Amino acid sequence: MARRRTIGVLSRETGVKVTTIRYYETIGLIDDPGRTESGQRVYGTDAVDRLGFIRHARDLGFSMEAIQELIALQTKPGSACTAVDAIARRQLAAVRERLNRLEALEAELKRMLTTCEGGTVGTCTVMESLTDHRHCTQPHGTDRSASVIPNRENG
Amino acid sequence: MARRRTIGVLSRETGVKVTTIRYYETIGLIDDPGRTESGQRVYGTDAVDRLGFIRHARDLGFSMEAIQELIALQTKPGSACTAVDAIARRQLAAVRERLNRLEALEAELKRMLTTCEGGTVGTCTVMESLTDHRHCTQPHGTDRSASVIPNRENG
DNA sequence: CCTTGCTTCTACAGCGGCTGTAGGGGTTAG
DNA sequence: CTAACCCCTACAGCCGCTGTAGAAGCAAGG
């Protein structure tokens, strides 16, 4: 008698938090599985696979929207591969763009730090670099898309 | 008679949106400037400088928290440069970590795409790579910090 | 002076992708 | 039986903004 795969068991199995699994259900990424009489969710192996898929795609930086598309494609395996390919290519392009930006940032941060010789904030070249925005790596304007800012620095 | 530097003027001058300027005020990144009798904000050149500083730091990926710290340091120019240095070093380290991750992602996405020879989703290697999470670039676990996900894909 | 059309004001809801909390009930090991 | 844990729903909060609504201010033209 294997124990029922409740949401907690599934969570441990996949490394996806309980609350996150429920969240995925509310946004339609995974189906409402069967329930016990008392209303507890009971999952099958398909849920494990699906969560693994989602997790991996998230690790690769795919947006939830893209993952939705991929799952939709997955469920009709006869359709052409080109759609999947397109999504992956889009993602690769996005990754490359972010790579370029990050490389530029790294260079500027490095430059800032190497010229600093210690002293007070008043004479700090790091501070100067930040204040003097004429060194900006980007043209000024309202376009701040694709900025590289961290998120989810949680544990 | 130069026109008063209202929030809209400041916005055009700095490329920071009106709403964003007000937001920065609410979170304490910039001070409430003087107001006209009717309650409109009127800014001085200091606000232009401050916003330029914030913008540049944001472009470099500094978090709002870090920027808060930097501004606090900026306002007491006699303090030691080491604090500024530390913040910048932290940021550089974060950027490098994200660079590493992104490079790994790029490699995996490239690999996925090059092995795909077209056909149907059922035989798609891209899909396979995503499904077979044993290729995962990261050990499974609950730690999903520093994941590289885009945000603010706005215009 | 009045209108037109822009700007500014406040206050609050929404984005993505979750996480955390409150307040309850279910289940299981000792 | 009880303690410890699990699960349920529903909703608020996180960041860094953006967008909306509805009201009031302001500059220029007639």
Side-chain angles (χ1 to χ4, degrees):
Chain A
M1 301 259 217
R3 279 178 74 210
R4 278 176 309 188
R5 190 182 281 110
T6 60
I7 199 166
V9 175
L10 178 63
S11 173
R12 260 162 267 139
E13 216 168 334
T14 59
V16 181
K17 289 187 183 163
V18 168
T19 42
T20 306
I21 295 172
R22 282 200 281 255
Y23 168 69
Y24 285 167
E25 190 184 311
T26 67
I27 62 168
L29 264 194
I30 58 179
D31 305 325
D32 191 337
R35 305 275 188 133
T36 65
E37 232 173 295
S38 62
Q40 298 200 351
R41 294 167 178 85
V42 183
Y43 295 92
T45 50
D46 51 338
V48 181
D49 294 344
R50 173 65 62 88
L51 276 180
F53 180 86
I54 295 169
R55 231 179 91 77
H56 194 193
R58 291 291 298 146
D59 282 345
L60 286 169
F62 286 88
S63 69
M64 300 311 270
E65 207 189 334
I67 294 174
Q68 291 270 29
E69 288 180 68
L70 288 170
I71 287 174
L73 291 166
Q74 209 178 18
T75 56
K76 41 178 178 172
S79 57
C81 185
T82 48
V84 173
D85 199 80
I87 295 171
R89 267 178 214 293
R90 235 195 287 144
Q91 181 58 21
L92 179 57
V95 165
R96 287 205 169 125
E97 201 187 316
R98 272 179 278 148
L99 262 176
N100 288 341
R101 275 182 181 270
L102 275 178
E103 273 157 11
L105 298 199
E106 193 199 5
E108 186 160 0
L109 284 167
K110 230 158 45 180
R111 187 177 59 70
M112 275 163 86
L113 283 162
T114 51
T115 55
C116 184
E117 295 168 343
T120 62
V121 169
T123 62
C124 180
T125 59
V126 173
M127 218 54 155
E128 240 171 66
S129 302
L130 283 168
T131 308
D132 181 6
H133 51 179
R134 276 171 291 282
H135 287 158
C136 217
T137 49
Q138 296 198 40
H140 274 183
T142 50
D143 177 20
R144 289 175 55 64
S145 68
S147 184
V148 186
I149 306 287
N151 60 350
R152 304 202 283 125
E153 298 292 330
N154 48 61
Chain B
M1 296 276 212
R3 279 177 75 208
R4 279 176 308 188
R5 191 183 280 108
T6 61
I7 198 166
V9 175
L10 178 62
S11 173
R12 260 162 269 139
E13 215 168 335
T14 60
V16 180
K17 289 188 185 165
V18 168
T19 43
T20 306
I21 295 171
R22 282 199 281 254
Y23 169 68
Y24 286 164
E25 190 184 310
T26 66
I27 62 169
L29 263 196
I30 57 178
D31 305 326
D32 191 337
R35 306 272 189 136
T36 64
E37 231 173 297
S38 63
Q40 298 201 352
R41 294 167 178 84
V42 182
Y43 295 91
T45 50
D46 52 338
V48 180
D49 294 344
R50 174 64 62 85
L51 276 180
F53 181 86
I54 296 170
R55 231 178 92 78
H56 195 193
R58 292 290 300 147
D59 282 345
L60 286 168
F62 286 89
S63 68
M64 300 311 271
E65 208 188 332
I67 294 174
Q68 291 269 28
E69 288 181 70
L70 287 170
I71 287 174
L73 290 167
Q74 209 178 19
T75 56
K76 41 178 177 171
S79 58
C81 184
T82 49
V84 173
D85 199 80
I87 295 170
R89 267 178 214 291
R90 235 195 287 143
Q91 180 57 23
L92 180 56
V95 166
R96 287 205 170 126
E97 201 186 316
R98 271 180 278 149
L99 262 175
N100 288 340
R101 276 183 181 269
L102 274 179
E103 273 157 10
L105 296 199
E106 193 199 5
E108 187 161 0
L109 283 168
K110 230 158 48 179
R111 188 178 59 69
M112 276 162 86
L113 283 163
T114 52
T115 55
C116 184
E117 296 167 343
T120 62
V121 169
T123 62
C124 180
T125 58
V126 173
M127 218 52 156
E128 241 172 64
S129 301
L130 283 168
T131 308
D132 180 5
H133 51 182
R134 278 171 291 282
H135 287 159
C136 216
T137 48
Q138 297 198 41
H140 274 184
T142 49
D143 176 22
R144 289 175 57 63
S145 67
S147 184
V148 185
I149 307 286
N151 59 352
R152 304 202 285 126
E153 297 294 328
N154 49 62

